[in-house]
Amino acid sequence: MSTPRLSPMLLATLLLLGSPALAAAAEPAEAEDVDPFEKNGADDEIVPPLRDPYQGMNRAFYHVNDKLYYWVIRPVARGYKFLVPQPARVSVGNLFSNLGAPGRSLNCLFQGDLKGSGTELERFGINTTVGLLGLFDPAKHWFKIRMRNEDFGQTLGVWGWGMSVYLHWPLVGPSCPRDTVGALVNALLDPATFLPGASLISRINRTSLTLGEYEDFKKMSLDPYVAIRDAYNQNRRHAVKSWD
């Protein structure tokens, strides 16, 4: 099941707060391709709210992540952005995206999507060779083969595990019991997990490409916590097209 496109600002906000499910599904190099006004057939459907019985704990962890962003992640990302030109940062994003291709292929297979699984393997082969180990994305730009945004949280959703309740973990961000388990499996499927410092570099690099969007999102939100929770709920339910 491919993920429909949300507003870039909402997606960036979830990424900045570290949601592993969305980070696994994001493709930083394509950020400018997203049309926030693009029509989607699911847009007319009413997405049921996600229960939040642990709101007190979740809000506390949200504030922890918010402070970490302003006090640690943003300053480091700003310095990184100053030192590293944007084309190089886009290539770094491509590299990490390419490393995740085998995991995405497996998740397509787990979901019964043989075509999608083959597409990810095809992209991996092209980008690893012609794209210089994934620094570039000729599969997309030359051959028009687009990435399939699939992760194990979505796979569990396709298998019938609903979202249940909202969780907001420190350092991780928006989640639910299903996506928490999914994130652990995603980590095992991602080679970057086993490269010292790679996950941190990926997060800083991703943040450097979206600096300012989280700040703007907060300014426009009466309650950023609720806005992030609802955006996460919408994105993840649409990702598996399941109103559980």
Side-chain angles (χ1 to χ4, degrees):
M1 304 289 179
S2 64
T3 307
R5 294 172 175 175
L6 289 181
S7 160
M9 188 172 292
L10 292 181
L11 184 55
T13 297
L14 294 170
L15 288 171
L16 290 172
L17 292 176
S19 174
L22 293 176
E27 187 176 11
E30 293 190 353
E32 295 183 357
D33 294 342
V34 176
D35 179 0
F37 300 105
E38 181 182 28
K39 289 297 291 180
N40 187 294
D43 289 344
D44 296 331
E45 300 181 53
I46 298 176
V47 178
L50 182 58
R51 293 192 302 117
D52 190 3
Y54 310 114
Q55 186 169 154
M57 178 192 73
N58 288 335
R59 281 187 179 273
F61 287 154
Y62 160 72
H63 288 298
V64 168
N65 288 337
D66 182 71
K67 297 304 181 186
L68 282 173
Y69 170 72
Y70 281 105
W71 295 350
V72 180
I73 297 174
R74 185 172 71 165
V76 173
R78 280 178 168 175
Y80 175 80
K81 180 180 180 179
F82 178 78
L83 294 173
V84 183
Q86 181 172 352
R89 288 182 282 121
V90 169
S91 288
V92 171
N94 287 336
L95 175 64
F96 283 110
S97 176
N98 191 57
L99 285 174
R104 293 193 297 271
S105 176
L106 282 175
N107 276 298
C108 287
L109 186 63
F110 294 156
Q111 296 173 29
D113 182 2
L114 297 181
K115 180 179 179 181
S117 181
T119 293
E120 278 302 309
L121 290 179
E122 187 176 11
R123 279 180 49 82
F124 182 70
I126 293 172
N127 289 344
T128 301
T129 54
V130 182
L132 302 179
L133 299 179
L135 289 172
F136 303 95
D137 192 352
K140 172 197 168 188
H141 297 294
W142 296 357
F143 299 98
K144 310 302 179 184
I145 306 172
R146 299 183 68 85
M147 186 177 77
R148 302 298 290 261
N149 293 334
E150 306 300 330
D151 59 70
F152 198 70
Q154 289 169 253
T155 297
L156 292 174
V158 171
W159 290 352
W161 187 351
M163 293 181 69
S164 181
V165 298
Y166 181 64
L167 299 171
H168 196 109
W169 297 117
L171 301 177
V172 173
S175 190
C176 65
R178 181 191 74 198
D179 284 347
T180 298
V181 173
L184 297 175
V185 177
N186 291 334
L188 293 175
L189 294 177
D190 188 352
T193 302
F194 306 99
L195 300 175
S199 296
L200 178 60
I201 293 172
S202 176
R203 181 167 181 175
I204 295 300
N205 185 77
R206 191 168 62 239
T207 302
S208 75
L209 294 168
T210 55
L211 280 169
E213 294 189 2
Y214 176 55
E215 295 86 336
D216 291 340
F217 177 84
K218 285 189 67 178
K219 290 177 183 178
M220 294 190 303
S221 304
L222 293 176
D223 187 338
Y225 168 83
V226 171
I228 290 170
R229 180 192 65 198
D230 292 347
Y232 167 80
N233 179 43
Q234 175 190 341
N235 185 66
R236 296 305 288 173
R237 288 192 191 274
H238 280 158
V240 295
K241 296 182 176 63
S242 173
W243 295 169
D244 51 70

